[in-house]
Amino acid sequence: MTREILRRLELLNQLSLTEEEKESVMAFFDAREADAACLESIDTSEVERMVHVMPIMTVVREDVVSQPYSREELQRSAPETDEGYWCVPRVVE
Amino acid sequence: MRYETVIGLEVHVELATKSKIFCSCSAHSYGAEPNTHVCPACSGMPGMLPVVNKRVVDYGMKAGLMLNCDINRITTFDKKSYYYPDLPAAYQTTQWFAPVAVNGLVEIETSKGKKGVRIKQIHMEEDAGKLVHDIREDTTHVDFNRTSVPLIEIVSQPDLSSAEEVEAYLERLKNLLRFARVAECEMAHGTMRCDVNLSVRPEGSDKLGVRTEMKNMNSVEAIKRAIEYETARHIDALENHTEILVQETRRWDDIKGKSYAMRSKETAGDYRYFPDPNVMPVQIDDEWFESIKSSLPEFPEVKQKKYEEALGLSSYDAEQITRSIALCECFEAAYAVTGNAKDAANWMISEVMSILNARQMTYDQLTLDGRALGELIKLVSDGTVGRANGKKILAAMFDDTAISPKIYAETNGMIVSNDTGLIEKTVKAAIAEAPKAVEDYKNGKEKALMAIYGKCMKELRGNCDPQVLKTILIDMINQM
């Protein structure tokens, strides 16, 4: 883990870490990378790719419309609504 | 130095399902009040689990097969992280590791001939919501009606090299997807949107240049203009060093005819794709796969060839009808009744398509019963109903698809009369009222006859064999 990669991850995750947190996160990532390197040393060229950790497949539903919730119910916990919209801090200048 | 443009397209197509991809909210909210087609799942409430809509997978497979792709029989959903308020869960559920369809090929035809465009993959995913910035200055308003509406994204390889090829490719995609009835593909309605990836390199080079992406283009004309502008900008940068090209996402302003940098391009790693633990893999077993495969229509060009070779239609007529599966089905049903392909094709092109155009309907919105159209064509061709009244009946059949043309003609007094006595009486009265036209006709002005003919036809409400009327009219004038 480098300072540059960490800076990019901070940006992507919209985080602002303190110097202390940065040290701790970098140590954590270095340890995980070591774990990954350990796994990578195993030859998996003959192993079929696993698509999911659970050996089960999804169920599907039919294409039928239902609308059991009202807007008022859904917006009850919203910090702010206006004219039926959820309101968030302005995202364009 | 000569340059060539290298273009790859990412085309988003809204699937024509009734409900959303992972919940049962309606997928059609055009013009609806904000947030009225929303539930805890598609508004990103914590703990809600997605349930896959089977028809989305059906349509994903259909699209893949129409584009000659291989279908992944185990296809998985993944999370693509990005933080923006139009995506309430802060990630998009999409497909990255095992998309529904891969390795396709689409053939296009331009002025330079035929060419294959390789399809890298087709993946199924959810649409984002809509942000409104102009209601209040201090806040952004969020509408989740469109969130989780099902999309497929069709990713091409960078095989296109001009605006003309891009146009041909998009037309081909529309035609194939509409034929399979998986999508409307109407750019003006936002049901087809296009991201253009473009770079420029010296002709003959096999190394790709710096690539820029223009997102969410929504008209073919704008796409063509944007490609021409970007190509010129890239070449100018390479030749004259006017700017340093960087990999970035650009916004196309069609009014100003310019593109602007939006942000540096994310790489796949930035999205931190990972398998969505909330959606188990979708297994497409043999029965499911075969049922979809057998439900596919003939390809448009196969139908076109059949119409030309087996039914004797001109290449133009066959091409017009194969523009839509709905037109094909209507034509084939009408032909089955009349047994006259040319006649059925004429009615389809000159009457049915005209009404669709006049009513600003797409060809796929045609609901006319082809068998009833066949009956109408027979009534007109055997002289039971006049052509003008035939058109009126057709218009009524558009308004009410249950109408029987014969019953409608009878109840509205549109059956051609064989009553020569009535025709003679009408002609006699018309001649008496138009002595000048009679004299002009006798003096060699053929057109003068048509004025009297038109008056008689109007008087008889079109219910008269045109040839019989003309013969009686000429005979009576000649006897004067």
Side-chain angles (χ1 to χ4, degrees), chain B residues 97-343:
Chain B
F97 297 106
V100 66
V102 292
N103 300 331
L105 186 74
V106 171
E107 195 173 75
I108 60 166
E109 192 167 3
T110 65
S111 58
K112 289 184 179 165
K114 286 186 176 172
K115 175 178 180 174
V117 179
R118 291 169 301 153
I119 302 295
K120 183 178 173 225
Q121 68 179 55
I122 300 176
H123 54 262
M124 306 179 283
E125 63 186 20
E126 57 181 344
D127 206 347
K130 215 164 91 181
L131 302 180
V132 185
H133 306 292
D134 54 7
I135 297 177
R136 262 173 35 203
E137 273 181 16
D138 60 327
T139 179
T140 289
H141 286 58
V142 189
D143 177 7
F144 291 136
N145 279 346
R146 201 180 60 189
T147 312
S148 271
V149 165
L151 303 175
I152 48 171
E153 181 174 334
I154 302 163
V155 185
S156 84
Q157 295 287 4
D159 290 349
L160 298 152
S161 56
S162 68
E164 187 195 3
E165 285 186 2
V166 167
E167 184 177 19
Y169 171 73
L170 290 172
E171 279 306 316
R172 182 75 178 140
L173 285 190
K174 275 190 210 175
N175 192 219
L176 290 170
L177 299 179
R178 286 173 175 173
F179 242 70
R181 289 207 159 99
V182 301
E184 181 198 41
C185 295
E186 199 60 65
M187 285 194 141
H189 298 168
T191 51
M192 188 178 206
R193 308 189 289 266
C194 185
D195 301 345
V196 179
N197 291 298
L198 182 146
S199 64
V200 159
R201 65 181 172 193
E203 211 170 72
S205 164
D206 57 1
K207 201 173 157 216
L208 292 168
V210 174
R211 172 166 60 98
T212 55
E213 179 178 18
M214 284 176 290
K215 285 189 101 68
N216 281 332
M217 309 285 297
N218 55 7
S219 94
V220 174
E221 289 310 312
I223 291 167
K224 283 162 69 181
R225 282 190 286 271
I227 287 171
E228 273 150 26
Y229 174 88
E230 272 299 281
T231 302
R233 189 179 71 85
H234 280 235
I235 292 174
D236 197 30
L238 294 175
E239 292 251 292
N240 305 318
H241 311 290
T242 45
E243 60 181 308
I244 296 166
L245 292 173
V246 287
Q247 188 174 327
E248 63 186 355
T249 301
R250 295 179 73 85
R251 179 175 64 84
W252 172 248
D253 185 329
D254 201 40
I255 296 164
K256 292 187 178 142
K258 281 184 169 182
S259 69
Y260 298 92
M262 275 169 75
R263 57 175 189 260
S264 64
K265 178 81 183 101
E266 296 87 351
T267 59
D270 293 345
Y271 290 124
R272 289 148 295 150
Y273 287 98
F274 69 96
D276 189 337
N278 295 332
V279 195
M280 298 294 117
V282 181
Q283 183 162 34
I284 300 163
D285 59 23
D286 289 349
E287 192 187 350
W288 190 359
F289 179 75
E290 288 304 327
S291 75
I292 292 300
K293 206 174 164 193
S294 62
S295 73
L296 290 176
E298 284 175 311
F299 276 65
E301 59 273 17
V302 174
K303 274 199 187 295
Q304 190 177 334
K305 200 170 173 216
K306 201 163 84 179
Y307 290 171
E308 287 176 40
E309 290 177 0
L311 304 183
L313 293 192
S314 68
S315 154
Y316 173 81
D317 286 359
E319 198 185 321
Q320 290 299 307
I321 293 168
T322 51
R323 287 167 76 176
S324 143
I325 188 72
L327 292 176
C328 290
E329 286 173 357
C330 187
F331 162 73
E332 286 173 19
Y335 165 63
V337 174
T338 64
N340 184 333
K342 181 70 192 156
D343 220 11

Side-chain angles (χ1 to χ4, degrees), chain B residues 425-454:
Chain B
K425 195 177 152 194
T426 309
V427 169
K428 203 172 170 185
I431 286 174
E433 280 176 20
K436 173 128 188 6
V438 172
E439 197 181 320
D440 287 348
Y441 174 68
K442 282 188 165 177
N443 289 333
K445 280 192 183 169
E446 283 283 332
K447 273 189 184 167
L449 184 75
M450 292 318 291
I452 310 172
Y453 171 87

